[in-house]
Amino acid sequence: MRFKKVCVLGLGYIGLPTASTLATHGLQVVGVDVNPQIVHGLQNGRLHLYEPGLRTLVQAALRSGNLVVRSEPETADAFIIAVQTPFLEDKRADLRYVRAASEAIVPHLRTGNLVILESTSPPLTTLQVVAPILERSGLRAGQDFHLVYSPERVLPGQILRELIENARVVGGIDRASAEAARDLYATFVRGEIVLTDCTTAEMVKLMENTFRDVNIALANEFARLADRLGIDVWEAIALANRHPRVNILRPGPGVGGHCISVDPWFLVEAAPDLTRLIRSAREVNDSQPDFVVEWVERNLGRLEGRRLAVLGLAYKPDVDDLRESPAIEVVHRLVHAGAHVRAYEPFKPEAQISGVPTVPTLPEALEKAEALVLLVGHTSLREINPYEIQTLTPARLAFDAVNGWDKTAWQAAGFRVLRLGDGREDA
């Protein structure tokens, strides 16, 4: 199947790179977002998010004339839904954006069109939510138009490369739909394109992120055990991972982002009676910020009135994404306990976050601090020189929640360094 024009709904971390990549591969692309600031900014060449190489790609797509940005969809050969799917307070999936995007397509849907849902969704969303909405057009999914679920499987910080090189799972409502989507993705995907049904594809994405979530929960429990037993969890994990069939991930302040911290709940929602392990892992990781704050308080003493420099607020290293960040949850708890926090996020130095006192520079965070708390292993934070830090702050106590600092080097510079999960150094 040949495509000339594609409409991408949602210009976030997935939609914008996808739209720009399609445009630079010769297709006419209409990028759609309901946020007027995003639309106006992109129409004037300004990006609302950071991803290495993305600015250059978007500007090239816009200059080519193949990418235009609009606030509403247009008639096209294919539609890609790449909107957010957060969860509600009770951990059920919030599908309002998926529904709204599907409804926006209805007036423009024509016989022979292809519609692809890329937003991470609970199993059966394509069949039970998207298909009925699109069929309000009078057309039938699988008969008059093609319908597919194809999950994004990219790593923030490497999105542009992985969008092209990673294997792509394409799940059609029928075989013809899957083959149509394969033809569209083949315009830029170099990795293998694997065809399946839409519900299996939905499940695959959730399984991948749940696997990592459960593994991280295990690592976090190991860190808690090591803290109690008086051993160094980082050494223990390194030794355990020498086993050829063991790969324990890294403990830390918790799990964040819009995938790993969210997706497992979609499986729990689908079958709560069958997902006790998944729920338990989520509860461990959601409670990890509490453990970090207790660890800091146990070693520092009463937190009320204490001045803390918190370094890193993103949900993972070397990205600017603050969604569901456990670091932010740690700060909220520190502030609630009465600590005077100055938080610094190098990838979003001007960020304004409710309940989080932020400063735009590292020296401002360090000034007058009694202790440093490293919550994100950004390269720029891991590589700071402890001798330079020594001149910027009276603090001589450093809490390292991600094993990001060279303990020997920091000790030589006069700091006492406590690492999360290192029970040998705990008070």
Side-chain angles (χ1 to χ4, degrees):
M1 188 172 175
R2 297 181 64 85
F3 300 89
K4 292 183 179 179
K5 185 176 180 181
V6 180
C7 188
V8 179
L9 290 84
L11 297 178
Y13 285 92
I14 302 303
L16 184 57
T18 300
S20 302
T21 299
L22 286 165
T24 56
H25 282 75
L27 279 73
Q28 297 175 11
V29 181
V30 179
V32 179
D33 204 284
V34 297
N35 186 326
Q37 292 180 323
I38 291 176
V39 172
H40 185 263
L42 288 171
Q43 287 174 339
N44 290 276
R46 298 191 304 273
L47 271 64
H48 54 289
L49 49 85
Y50 171 80
E51 175 67 26
L54 182 59
R55 180 177 300 278
T56 300
L57 176 67
V58 172
Q59 291 176 344
L62 292 169
R63 283 197 304 268
S64 73
N66 287 338
L67 174 62
V68 296
V69 180
R70 300 285 185 262
S71 58
E72 296 182 358
E74 298 178 3
T75 300
D77 301 315
F79 300 86
I80 298 176
I81 300 173
V83 297
Q84 61 177 312
T85 48
F87 57 73
L88 302 169
E89 287 189 11
D90 62 2
K91 306 300 184 182
R92 290 183 300 110
D94 182 354
L95 295 177
R96 77 180 97 169
Y97 303 104
V98 170
R99 291 191 179 95
S102 301
E103 291 166 354
I105 292 171
V106 170
H108 308 284
L109 194 62
R110 302 291 183 267
T111 299
N113 281 174
L114 166 66
V115 180
I116 302 175
L117 174 63
E118 289 194 359
S119 306
T120 304
S121 304
L124 300 174
T125 297
T126 306
L127 288 174
Q128 296 183 357
V129 177
V130 177
I133 292 174
L134 295 176
E135 288 180 344
R136 295 175 191 169
S137 65
L139 303 177
R140 302 295 295 176
Q143 297 179 21
D144 303 312
F145 66 92
H146 302 298
L147 179 59
V148 163
Y149 181 80
S150 183
E152 54 82 11
R153 306 165 81 200
V154 294
L155 181 70
Q158 300 183 43
I159 289 176
L160 301 190
R161 179 182 63 81
E162 294 198 351
L163 195 65
I164 293 172
E165 296 181 2
N166 284 3
R168 171 73 66 161
V169 175
V170 174
I173 197 171
D174 58 8
R175 183 72 181 187
S177 292
E179 291 174 349
R182 176 196 60 198
D183 294 343
L184 176 60
Y185 285 122
T187 60
F188 67 88
V189 172
R190 297 196 198 114
E192 184 180 6
I193 301 175
V194 185
L195 307 189
T196 184
D197 65 88
C198 54
T199 305
T200 298
E202 290 167 339
M203 185 73 170
V204 164
K205 175 60 186 293
L206 301 179
M207 289 168 63
E208 292 168 350
N209 286 330
T210 299
F211 169 81
R212 289 179 56 78
D213 192 48
V214 172
N215 194 319
I216 295 169
L218 182 63
N220 282 334
E221 285 204 342
F222 285 155
R224 299 180 189 189
L225 283 166
D227 183 73
R228 179 173 296 183
L229 298 174
I231 66 171
D232 179 355
V233 74
W234 303 97
E235 178 187 1
I237 289 175
L239 293 173
N241 282 348
R242 287 176 174 266
H243 190 290
R245 290 174 295 281
V246 173
N247 182 27
I248 302 166
L249 298 182
R250 297 168 61 89
V255 175
H258 191 56
C259 291
I260 298 178
S261 65
V262 175
D263 296 357
W265 288 118
F266 296 169
L267 294 177
V268 174
E269 176 186 348
D273 58 319
L274 302 177
T275 50
R276 287 179 293 176
L277 174 62
I278 296 170
R279 177 188 288 274
S280 293
R282 273 282 74 236
E283 291 171 348
V284 168
N285 287 334
D286 278 352
S287 67
Q288 191 69 358
D290 290 311
F291 178 73
V292 171
V293 172
E294 291 167 4
W295 166 63
V296 171
E297 187 170 30
R298 188 168 67 245
N299 286 280
L300 186 61
R302 185 177 174 86
L303 291 175
E304 187 173 4
R306 308 306 289 270
R307 297 185 300 275
L308 304 177
V310 172
L311 309 183
L313 293 173
Y315 88 89
K316 61 170 289 183
D318 297 331
V319 301
D320 71 341
D321 195 343
L322 305 180
R323 292 177 297 177
E324 311 299 332
S325 172
I328 291 175
E329 293 303 314
V330 170
V331 174
H332 283 154
R333 287 158 173 78
L334 291 171
V335 171
H336 182 73
H340 297 309
V341 174
R342 288 186 176 184
Y344 168 64
E345 171 46 58
F347 282 84
K348 275 194 174 176
E350 305 296 335
Q352 300 295 315
I353 306 165
S354 178
V356 177
T358 57
V359 292
T361 68
L362 180 60
E364 287 178 84
L366 298 174
E367 184 184 14
K368 299 180 180 179
E370 297 177 63
L372 319 181
V373 184
L374 178 65
L375 294 180
V376 185
H378 292 309
T379 300
S380 61
L381 296 179
R382 287 189 290 106
E383 294 181 348
I384 56 179
N385 187 327
Y387 288 96
E388 293 180 5
I389 299 301
Q390 181 191 61
T391 67
L392 298 174
T393 180
R396 292 298 179 265
L397 177 60
F399 293 92
D400 182 353
V402 294
N403 194 26
W405 286 333
D406 182 330
K407 188 173 182 179
T408 301
W410 279 74
Q411 287 175 332
F415 290 90
R416 180 186 178 206
V417 179
L418 299 177
R419 294 182 301 168
L420 186 72
D422 187 351
R424 294 173 179 171
E425 288 290 337
D426 229 0

